[in-house]
Structure formats: structure tokens, C-alpha cells
Amino acid sequence: MVSALRPRISPGRLRELGPINWVVWQVLSKAAGTDDAHLFSTLGRTRGLFRGWLHYSGKLMPGGRLPRHESELVILRVAHLRECEYEMDHHIRLGKRAGVTAEILDRVRTGPDSPGWTDKHRALLAAVDQLVQTRDLDDAHWAALAGHYDERSLIEIVLLVNQYEGLAATITALRIQRDGV
């Protein structure tokens, strides 16, 4: 959900970020295709916590076991369900690099019942929907997902959904503005 309100915590600069996080912010902003990735210049104010969060996040995406295309489907679906335009902006760009076309993005927005999904992707997106809506997976959704993924990947999917659900909540609560705003 986008807020027209001002950010609750302004994006930091060198003084607030410290030299390490300032460099990290610069590199991540360039990688994201922007001069100031507000998410990183805001969260970077937490210093070491920011770097720990980046490590954890990076282990899920892009460093996880899931194919990058599937990770992006998960993240984009979470961002859509949470109405988090900041997350959508970033992961539309990242998703393109992973083969998420405009047509696939439209299907992500429509959801798991959209025609054209493989059984695997339908099970993945249905699991995302149920996790976001209920904070749990019933046995039917679990079985559908387990038919396509090993145990380690199943754990990773749950962690990935919850990571981006929490990130969407953080972006919303802190009123982090979309980049370029």
C-alpha cells in the first residue's frame, strides 16, 4: 500500500549510514537502477542490523535454491497482495532479468487461477496466497507444493514469502517512498 504521507524516517546519507552502509547503499542503488534506493538508505540507518538483514535476505534471493524466476513470482505475488508498490517496482525490474514478461506479470496479478500456469507454478502461487492470507498452509496446499519441491525448497518458500511479507509491512509502516519520489 502506498502512502502519500512523508516518510516516517528520512533516507540516510553518509552521517546516518556510516561509511560501510553508505557504500553498500550506493552499490545496491546502482544495481537497482536508481540513484537512491530509499529502502536501503532508510534501513541502512540501523548499521550492523542492516548488514545482517542483507545477508539473510541475500541467502533467500538471489542466493536461494529456488530458480530465480520462481523467487520473483513469489515476491511479485506477495507485493501485489500487500499492495506494496515499492516492492513491485523493484521486482518488476528484477523479474524481467529472470524472464518475467509483461504477460506473466499480468498472470501474477490475477493469481494462481489464471490460465497458463504450469501445475508447479499454480501450486507455488496458491501457497503464497494462503500464507499471506492465513499465515499457514493447509494440508491440500502443502501436498500440492510438496509434489514439486524437496524439503529444503519447501522451507525456503515459506521463509521467502514471510521475508517479503515482513518487508512489505516495514515499507508500509515506515512510509518508505518509491524511488524517484
Side-chain angles (χ1 to χ4, degrees), residues 23-96:
V23 169
V24 170
W25 161 63
Q26 291 287 307
V27 170
L28 292 174
S29 291
K30 298 233 182 309
T34 183
D35 291 333
D36 181 1
H38 293 150
L39 175 67
F40 302 126
S41 58
T42 302
L43 299 185
R45 295 171 75 104
T46 65
R47 307 281 176 120
L49 178 60
F50 172 62
R51 292 187 300 276
W53 171 79
L54 278 177
H55 178 76
Y56 172 73
S57 296
K59 287 290 188 176
L60 286 170
M61 196 293 294
R65 279 182 59 137
L66 290 178
R68 184 66 183 270
H69 180 81
E70 291 175 15
S71 293
E72 292 299 337
L73 294 178
V74 167
I75 295 163
L76 287 163
R77 186 65 182 161
V78 170
H80 173 74
L81 293 171
R82 289 290 312 220
E83 299 177 14
C84 185
E85 292 182 17
Y86 190 99
E87 242 174 28
M88 283 298 283
D89 290 349
H90 276 265
H91 286 279
I92 286 171
R93 285 193 302 271
L94 293 172
K96 283 181 186 174

Side-chain angles (χ1 to χ4, degrees), residues 7 20 23 35 40 45 52 80 82 91-92 105 113 115 134 136 151 162 167 173 179:
I20 295 170
V23 169
D35 291 333
F40 302 126
R45 295 171 75 104
H80 173 74
R82 289 290 312 220
H91 286 279
I92 286 171
L105 183 59
D113 294 330
T134 70
D136 195 7
E151 288 179 348
N162 285 297
L167 185 56
D179 298 339

Side-chain angles (χ1 to χ4, degrees), residues 118-140:
T118 64
D119 289 342
K120 181 180 187 180
H121 289 161
R122 182 171 283 108
L124 180 63
L125 293 172
V128 171
D129 283 13
Q130 190 171 59
L131 275 166
V132 169
Q133 292 164 4
T134 70
R135 313 300 296 149
D136 195 7
L137 285 174
D138 63 25
D139 291 341

